[in-house]
Amino acid sequence: MLSAAATPAVVAQPQADVQQRASRTVGAEDILGLTDVTETAISPDGRHIAYVTRQKIANGPGRSTIWIVAADGSSAPRRLTHGAMLDDSPQWSPAGDRIAFLSNRPNASLGGVAGVDIDPETKPSAKPGAGDPSRQLWLIALDGGEAQPLTALDRDIRRFRWSPDGQTIALIAPDPLTADAKAERAAKRDWVEVDAPRDLSRLWLLDLTSRHLRRIAVAGRAVSDLNWSPDGQRLAVRAAATTGLNDHFYHSELLVLDATTGSVERKLFDKVYSTGSWSPDGRRLAFIAPEANVVGIRAYVADVASGAVKQLGAKLDGTIRQVEWYRDNRTVLARTAVHSRDILYSVDVPTDRFRPLVAFDGRIDGFATAADGSIALTGDQPDRSADVWVYRHGALRLLTDVNPQIRSWALGKVEHVSWNSSRDGRPVYGVLVKPPAFVGGVPRKTVVLAHGGPHDNWSAGWQGSWMNWAHILASNGYVVLLPNPRGSSGQGTDFARATKGGWGSRDYQDVADGVDMLVARNIADPARIGIGGWSYGGFLSAWAVTHDSRFKTAIVGAAVTDPLTMALSTDTPDFVTAYFGLPPSALAQMDASSPLRAVDRVKVPVLVLHGEQDRRVPLAQGLGFYRGLQLLGKDARMVIYPRESHWISEFEHQRDMQRRVLAWFDAHL
């Protein structure tokens, strides 16, 4: 394996010792009151960074705002957009004097679709009225002032990109609704044929001089992302046969189009996770894609003319999450998870040599580059839930302080931790959060939090969100272990694929070994250990209490409890079958990995949490586990959150979940 131990140019450390903070205990309202940083964009000359903050509002839809900060730190951040809307997706014009963005703000100055040049049968039957709350394209000057609307479609715009000459914006949106479509909706003739192509996302070109909008749709394909070639003659697009999530995730093609006609010049790759970043000379594209049979992620560089493909980092001891071309025609940047740390690498494409630039003590959520080599990063650290940094001239500078109130909280101490597998001696990595008043040698009540995926990982960054309860628990006196067992990202493809054919049976022992390590070190009290998690983390929690007696209680959130019925009902069936194969030949493996089929072994109280409208892990998965426990007379409770999908979004639901989690562990540990 290619080691990640080489010394990076910069190691980003937390800004303060979390043990020396004020003593106010963290609660659910504190976590929900945090402002998140969701996106960043750096100006072409590297002088300014635009970023988006998003707040969750009690009894409201929330809002997001675009800010500007000087990359050299010479001035404080200033707010660019105002109001109680969702303003996001900022992109700089090539000249760097304007920013285009998406917003659902009322559009009083442009009451319809201006200059739409599309086929007659797809023209809208009526112009949308002023104030329609769809996500449209807006333009604002760098020095602020009033934003100007660029579009007024009756459908949401989902993505857009400036052309290199700044004269055109390519955007993605469905066709306008026809009169017949509107009539069908009004009459509630809204039945859906499963997996049928419908409401495809189209590719459009907006001429900024004439304001004419022209569709260059890819026939029979839903376009989800795009990127202009440096000369503006071609577009790289990610497209799938339908808008279904399974096709989007696992069957999206990387296509190169003629930017004038929309004709497909070449299909570069059959299944991709990203659109691709063009090399400065326009000859190659860098992108990420799923491993064969889905499990795992690979990074590639493709020659556009020949279609030849070169893999990057095949032996890297980590998982590449994002690649972007950088400055010259032989270097890309790779955002990579390595064990429980995120590292930004500079990669020499011809030699496949990875050189670490920034080893971030936390999680890097994304990055963007400028022509002068400056790199803007968004991410979090143990004592910072979301902020913006810039890497320039070999140094990393913190530019924002989005949530200063955190400094008054009593946070636990976040540490990297590792142990060896009792099965094969392989190192297992994770994160340990100790309570603020932790004293060595005095065992504490302990909670294990398992992550989702399973191809995800915990990093030693901020540990507080609606589904990561570590900071709340630690602040209230718990030791919290966040393990990255086999199947996780961060240790290469073989490690990620180690759970194929055996969820639970092939990864749970790594979790149990981590608990044993804490007990042996007098950190965890063996009589007071619980487990919880969301999604695959919920699965591991259900597996733990059906196959082990060390846990005194479990919280099972949005969990797969029966792989067979999950595969036949989820909106991403390729995910399950990638691990087990297809029924009926996979039935034995699926049954062996089903906590539901071992529900009679549970001897401890279990709390089941689930979203009512969850299509990823359908409600029946959680309900079946709960009903099984109830029918057998076990101690079980279940809470269903109305209207919620796999990700809980409403303020009151998130608050209830965090309060309920803490109360449950307090009652049973």
Side-chain angles (χ1 to χ4, degrees):
M1 302 288 280
L2 180 62
S3 173
T7 303
V10 176
V11 177
Q13 299 290 351
Q15 300 302 307
D17 184 346
V18 295
Q19 296 282 56
Q20 299 178 2
R21 293 173 176 272
S23 58
R24 191 164 70 80
T25 302
V26 180
E29 287 78 7
D30 295 315
I31 299 298
L32 289 172
L34 292 169
T35 297
D36 197 13
V37 177
T38 59
E39 299 169 86
T40 186
I42 190 166
S43 61
D45 61 8
R47 296 178 60 191
H48 297 90
I49 296 171
Y51 63 96
V52 177
T53 63
R54 184 158 188 162
Q55 293 174 292
K56 184 170 289 293
I57 307 298
N59 302 313
R63 62 172 177 262
S64 57
T65 305
I66 300 173
W67 295 71
I68 297 289
V69 64
D72 62 3
S74 60
S75 59
R78 63 180 174 87
R79 187 170 177 173
L80 187 66
T81 64
H82 298 266
M85 296 80 64
L86 293 173
D87 297 336
D88 56 30
S89 305
Q91 289 189 26
W92 294 88
S93 66
D97 58 341
R98 298 175 294 171
I99 291 176
F101 64 97
L102 296 178
S103 178
N104 66 347
R105 60 181 59 201
N107 184 351
S109 62
L110 188 61
V113 182
V116 177
D117 179 17
I118 56 179
D119 297 335
E121 64 268 21
T122 62
K123 283 187 179 179
S125 60
K127 295 178 179 180
D132 281 1
S134 58
R135 285 167 51 83
Q136 297 300 303
L137 192 59
W138 292 72
L139 191 65
I140 192 169
L142 175 58
D143 58 3
E146 291 295 326
Q148 302 299 314
L150 294 178
T151 62
L153 298 170
D154 61 357
R155 311 300 300 278
D156 284 345
I157 294 173
R158 298 171 181 175
R159 295 281 192 278
F160 71 93
R161 293 275 188 175
W162 288 87
S163 65
D165 62 7
Q167 301 302 307
T168 305
I169 291 180
L171 57 91
I172 297 171
D175 286 326
L177 288 172
T178 64
D180 288 345
K182 290 180 179 180
E184 287 182 355
R185 289 190 178 189
K188 296 187 178 180
R189 296 191 293 268
D190 53 357
W191 46 84
V192 174
E193 181 183 349
V194 176
D195 293 334
R198 64 184 184 278
D199 211 19
L200 300 180
S201 302
R202 307 289 193 169
L203 184 60
W204 307 75
L205 298 182
L206 174 65
D207 185 294
L208 291 175
T209 301
S210 67
R211 298 294 174 91
H212 278 237
L213 189 63
R214 179 169 60 91
R215 190 183 76 186
I216 55 169
V218 183
R221 289 291 183 269
V223 180
S224 59
D225 208 351
L226 72 156
N227 209 347
W228 290 89
S229 63
D231 61 7
Q233 300 301 305
R234 292 169 294 178
L235 286 158
V237 302
R238 184 185 180 199
T242 73
T243 55
L245 200 60
N246 197 69
D247 279 348
H248 172 70
F249 278 171
Y250 306 123
H251 300 280
S252 287
E253 304 164 331
L254 178 57
L255 307 175
V256 177
L257 312 182
D258 182 288
T260 301
T261 65
S263 61
V264 178
E265 294 184 356
R266 177 182 290 278
K267 182 171 79 170
L268 273 181
F269 212 77
D270 191 44
K271 297 177 182 180
V272 294
Y273 284 150
S274 69
T275 298
S277 171
W278 292 88
S279 60
D281 61 10
R283 295 181 178 180
R284 289 175 290 177
L285 279 164
F287 59 94
I288 59 172
E291 285 273 4
N293 298 320
V294 173
V295 182
I297 302 174
R298 291 180 178 178
Y300 295 97
V301 168
D303 184 273
V304 174
S306 68
V309 175
K310 172 186 174 67
Q311 184 179 354
L312 299 177
K315 297 182 179 180
L316 181 71
D317 185 20
T319 301
I320 299 174
R321 290 184 168 137
Q322 178 187 357
V323 287
E324 300 288 339
W325 222 279
Y326 187 55
R327 305 188 74 173
D328 58 41
N329 291 307
R330 63 180 295 150
T331 307
V332 299
L333 297 180
R335 176 170 64 93
T336 307
V338 179
H339 306 163
S340 55
R341 185 189 297 276
D342 278 15
I343 297 178
L344 186 65
Y345 285 100
S346 171
V347 184
D348 184 72
V349 173
T351 64
D352 197 32
R353 179 175 178 268
F354 279 62
R355 181 174 65 88
L357 286 182
V358 178
F360 202 75
D361 200 359
R363 180 179 289 264
I364 301 173
D365 293 323
F367 70 91
T369 64
D372 71 343
S374 299
I375 306 169
L377 302 97
T378 56
D380 62 74
Q381 293 185 330
D383 58 349
R384 290 185 174 274
S385 66
D387 270 304
V388 179
W389 286 260
V390 65
Y391 176 82
R392 308 177 82 202
H393 313 304
L396 190 72
R397 176 192 291 267
L398 176 69
L399 295 177
T400 63
D401 187 17
V402 174
N403 293 288
Q405 71 273 26
I406 291 175
R407 286 191 286 275
S408 68
W409 299 357
L411 294 179
K413 184 176 182 181
V414 179
E415 303 175 359
H416 299 273
V417 65
S418 65
W419 57 95
N420 292 326
S421 165
S422 63
R423 175 183 298 169
D424 56 12
R426 183 163 190 163
V428 181
Y429 299 91
V431 176
L432 185 65
V433 187
K434 296 177 181 176
F438 179 82
V439 176
V442 181
R444 295 290 194 109
K445 56 185 178 179
T446 299
V447 172
V448 176
L449 294 182
H451 63 66
H455 194 227
D456 199 352
N457 76 316
W458 293 118
S459 63
W462 180 254
Q463 308 298 339
S465 72
W466 67 269
M467 65 174 179
N468 180 350
W469 315 309
H471 266 326
I472 284 182
L473 290 170
S475 188
N476 282 273
Y478 290 83
V479 168
V480 184
L481 177 65
L482 301 108
N484 292 323
R486 63 196 73 206
S488 303
S489 56
Q491 289 197 67
T493 297
D494 290 344
F495 193 78
R497 297 168 72 88
T499 54
K500 283 179 67 68
W503 287 357
S505 62
R506 299 186 180 178
D507 52 353
Y508 171 71
Q509 188 59 47
D510 290 345
V511 177
D513 290 339
V515 174
D516 290 343
M517 175 269 296
L518 294 183
V519 172
R521 290 172 56 187
N522 273 335
I523 293 174
D525 179 352
R528 294 192 297 167
I529 302 176
I531 189 169
W534 194 260
S535 194
Y536 192 81
F539 164 84
L540 274 181
S541 300
W543 179 272
V545 292
T546 52
H547 292 80
D548 198 346
S549 61
R550 74 185 67 213
F551 296 103
K552 307 311 175 186
T553 189
I555 296 179
V556 177
V560 179
T561 61
D562 186 60
L564 173 61
T565 54
M566 168 72 175
L568 300 177
S569 59
T570 179
D571 60 359
T572 54
D574 280 16
F575 164 74
V576 183
T577 58
Y579 284 91
F580 293 100
L582 299 173
S585 61
L587 285 178
Q589 286 186 335
M590 289 179 168
D591 286 350
S593 290
S594 173
L596 184 61
R597 298 178 189 275
V599 70
D600 59 309
R601 303 176 189 171
V602 176
K603 294 181 174 60
V604 298
V606 175
L607 173 63
V608 179
L609 306 171
H610 221 108
E612 179 188 40
Q613 301 299 321
D614 194 340
R615 296 182 179 179
R616 190 72 43 78
V617 181
L619 176 61
Q621 294 288 310
L623 192 60
F625 195 68
Y626 167 72
R627 291 290 187 213
L629 293 169
Q630 281 283 298
L631 289 171
L632 293 171
K634 308 288 186 178
D635 185 357
R637 300 289 185 274
M638 183 172 187
V639 178
I640 298 173
Y641 293 101
R643 301 173 298 281
E644 298 287 11
S645 67
H646 195 55
W647 308 111
I648 305 302
S649 61
E650 295 184 25
F651 182 95
E652 291 297 340
H653 293 165
Q654 290 190 358
R655 177 162 59 181
D656 176 80
M657 180 183 294
Q658 292 176 74
R659 287 176 169 177
R660 193 177 295 272
V661 164
L662 179 60
W664 183 268
F665 284 127
D666 282 347
H668 296 289
L669 297 180

